[in-house]
Amino acid sequence: MRYPSEHKQQTREKIVKAAARRFCSRGSERAGIGDLMRDLHLTHGGIDSHFLSKEELCVAALEPGL
């Protein structure tokens, strides 16, 4: 079964919002990607289709607040 076309963008936004909360509360060094993805009920490897690195996720998560 295929996902709707907007599913990938919605998932990315969900990851970014959760990461922003986690980075602000714990700092980027103490916020693990595995824990973040598990809390969102996503696989750790699933982040690879959205971001090239944790640093790229960090920029995307913190950029709106700057």
Side-chain angles (χ1 to χ4, degrees):
M1 176 178 205
R2 295 181 88 51
Y3 289 107
S5 59
E6 62 276 347
H7 181 264
K8 185 172 182 176
Q9 183 60 33
Q10 291 171 345
T11 301
R12 180 185 171 91
E13 290 171 9
K14 188 165 110 172
I15 293 168
V16 168
K17 286 179 184 178
R21 287 190 303 271
R22 189 158 300 204
F23 290 157
C24 287
S25 67
R26 297 183 186 177
S28 64
E29 295 298 317
R30 294 186 56 215
I33 297 299
D35 292 336
L36 172 70
M37 296 300 280
R38 187 174 31 260
D39 291 350
L40 293 171
H41 304 286
L42 299 169
T43 63
H44 184 279
I47 200 162
D48 295 339
S49 66
H50 298 281
F51 303 97
L52 297 175
S53 65
K54 182 177 180 179
E55 289 76 21
E56 185 179 339
L57 171 59
C58 190
V59 169
L62 300 178
E63 189 174 48
L66 296 177

